[in-house]
């Protein structure tokens, strides 16, 4: 297995220029970087018959669409409403009269589920690059549908893998929540990227020189461990071409991204013992200011859950990462995956 050592390395505090926050790197708090493994990744306890499996469609919330569109029992992907939504599509949207003081409006929005396979035992990493690409294009299609709702400003696509990462169902699926607001962390990211552009005249992601942070690359994307990674063995997948919105992806790039994403899942699973993780798509709001276009650049983040969050992180928003990004990148880069598995 891949090895990397950082002998007698002093702690560092690094600035995350994308999110405008600081991360503490403290290798003295950890074992060797190559020894990091998930202790276990228990799956959620579900009922004997999973409602996401083919044949149990009647147990799910209403379907929005399926792939292929004309399929019956032979569907590949289904997009459904979440049975227990965080927001409600039935409510009327209320524009806040004022943003001063305590403000509350109706919890309007859309909360959907993308069932990635009809087979319970199949994970996203088990699919072919083309099939992973089809899941990505399904997310794109639903985002474009939600975009037609004038009240919706931002859609967050995310995947929780493993119970400790927030998954309540073990059947492989992703989710998306469409909101009538732009979340504060999204605004902070956009403002930070704009500030970098104002100072340098360059997009902060286009300007990245991966070097020893690089894990792998494809025709249209690069994967790396970010310079100021919040989490140990965190991975970003970044489009080579400047693009503000994930929903601008085309079929060719979706398949290319599917192959690189699958490779990252396999490397992470082999090296880190199939850890719980969150997969996040960081994109731009629908009704964004055109002046932000040169500075905003969408990307994917994979955040493994290898250690907990303590009081310091909650109090300061400053995370402690026990593995330097250069070490994590080398370890993941050196993990060999058979071509038969890709």
């Amino acid at each position: 297995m891949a090895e990397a050592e950082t002998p007698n390395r002093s702690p560092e505090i690094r600035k995350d220029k994308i999110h405008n926050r600081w991360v503490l790197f403290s290798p003295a708090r950890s074992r060797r970087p190559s020894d990091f493994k998930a202790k276990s990744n228990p799956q959620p306890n579900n009922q004997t018959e999973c409602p996401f499996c083919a044949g149990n469609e009647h147990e799910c919330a209403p379907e929005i669409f399926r792939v292929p569109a004309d399929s019956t029992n032979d569907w590949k992907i289904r997009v459904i409403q979440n049975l227990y939504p965080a927001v409600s599509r039935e409510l009327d949207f209320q524009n806040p009269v004022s943003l001063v003081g305590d403000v509350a409006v109706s919890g309007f929005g859309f909360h959907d589920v993308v069932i990635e396979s009809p087979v319970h035992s199949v994970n996203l990493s088990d699919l072919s690059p083309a099939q992973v690409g089809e899941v990505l294009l399904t997310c794109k299609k639903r985002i474009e549908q939600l975009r037609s709702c004038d009240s919706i400003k931002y859609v967050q696509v995310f995947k929780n893998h493993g119970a400790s990462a927030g998954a309540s169902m073990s059947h492989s699926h992703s989710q998306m929540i469409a909101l009538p607001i732009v979340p504060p962390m999204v605004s902070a990211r956009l403002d930070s990227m704009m500030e970098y552009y104002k100072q340098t005249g360059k997009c902060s992601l286009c300007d990245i020189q991966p070097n020893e942070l690089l894990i792998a690359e494809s025709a249209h994307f690069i994967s790396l461990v970010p310079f100021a990674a919040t989490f140990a063995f965190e991975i970003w997948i970044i489009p080579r071409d400047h693009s503000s919105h994930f929903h601008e992806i085309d079929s060719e790039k979706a398949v290319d991204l599917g192959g690189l994403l699958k490779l990252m899942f396999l490397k992470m699973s082999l090296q880190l013992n199939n850890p719980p993780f969150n997969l996040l798509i960081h994109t731009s709001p629908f009704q964004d200011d055109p002046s932000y276009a040169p500075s905003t650049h969408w990307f994917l983040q994979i955040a493994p859950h290898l250690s907990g969050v303590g009081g310091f992180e909650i109090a300061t928003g400053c995370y402690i990462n026990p593995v330097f990004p250069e070490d994590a990148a080398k370890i993941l880069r050196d993990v060999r995956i058979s071509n038969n598995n890709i």
Side-chain angles (χ1 to χ4, degrees), residues 42-280:
Q43 295 297 323
N45 291 321
N46 297 326
Q47 57 268 47
T48 305
E49 289 193 1
C50 168
F52 288 178
C53 290
N56 296 334
E57 293 85 354
H58 61 284
E59 297 181 20
C60 292
E63 180 179 300
I64 300 168
F65 66 88
R66 61 176 59 190
V67 179
D70 58 353
S71 59
T72 53
N73 293 332
D74 58 341
W75 57 270
K76 297 179 182 178
I77 304 167
R78 292 179 70 228
V79 180
I80 64 172
Q81 298 179 20
N82 194 306
L83 193 59
Y84 305 103
V87 289
S88 174
R89 66 195 75 211
E90 307 300 330
L91 296 174
D92 293 327
F93 171 66
Q94 301 171 340
N95 252 322
V97 177
S98 171
L99 295 178
V100 178
D102 295 331
V103 179
V105 297
S106 66
F108 166 77
F110 298 84
H111 190 172
D112 301 331
V113 176
V114 179
I115 305 172
E116 299 159 348
S117 167
V119 181
H120 191 89
S121 59
V122 172
N123 291 313
L124 196 58
S125 58
D126 297 320
L127 302 178
S128 69
Q131 290 171 324
V132 177
E134 199 163 24
V135 171
L136 295 169
L137 290 173
T138 299
C139 293
K140 168 187 173 170
K141 178 179 177 179
R142 181 54 182 154
I143 291 171
E144 290 178 329
Q145 291 176 346
L146 293 165
R147 190 182 177 199
S148 66
C149 178
D150 292 338
S151 300
I152 294 302
K153 294 184 178 179
Y154 190 78
V155 177
Q156 181 61 62
V157 179
F158 60 99
K159 178 180 178 65
N160 302 329
H161 174 75
S164 62
S168 57
M169 301 284 291
S170 57
H171 192 124
S172 188
H173 68 284
S174 299
Q175 301 180 62
M176 58 181 73
I177 296 180
L179 297 169
I181 61 167
V182 178
M185 286 186 64
V186 175
S187 295
R189 167 169 55 86
L190 299 179
D191 289 344
S192 182
M193 296 176 89
M194 171 58 88
E195 185 60 30
Y196 185 89
Y197 180 78
K198 287 179 178 178
Q199 292 183 14
T200 66
K202 300 176 182 178
C203 162
S204 52
L205 289 184
C206 291
D207 200 32
I208 284 180
Q209 303 297 322
N211 299 322
E212 67 267 33
L213 298 174
L214 183 71
I215 303 171
E217 52 190 332
S218 65
H220 299 288
F221 297 88
I222 62 171
S223 63
L224 51 79
V225 178
F227 172 77
T230 303
F231 307 99
F233 293 93
E234 177 181 344
I235 299 170
W236 289 6
I237 301 180
I238 305 170
R240 291 181 184 273
D241 296 332
H242 185 81
S243 174
S244 297
H245 295 92
F246 166 75
H247 66 258
E248 295 171 342
I249 194 170
D250 60 25
S251 298
E252 177 188 345
K253 290 181 179 178
V255 174
D256 186 57
L257 176 56
L260 191 56
L261 185 57
K262 176 183 173 74
L263 178 63
M264 294 303 100
F265 285 151
L266 293 174
K267 282 177 173 281
M268 195 168 62
S269 180
L270 186 60
Q271 176 63 39
L272 305 176
N273 190 30
N274 185 27
F277 66 82
N278 300 112
L279 171 65
L280 313 167

Side-chain angles (χ1 to χ4, degrees), residues 6-14 25-28 324:
T6 311
N8 303 319
R9 190 161 183 176
S10 300
E12 283 185 12
I13 305 175
R14 293 187 179 185
F25 290 90
S26 183
F324 274 95

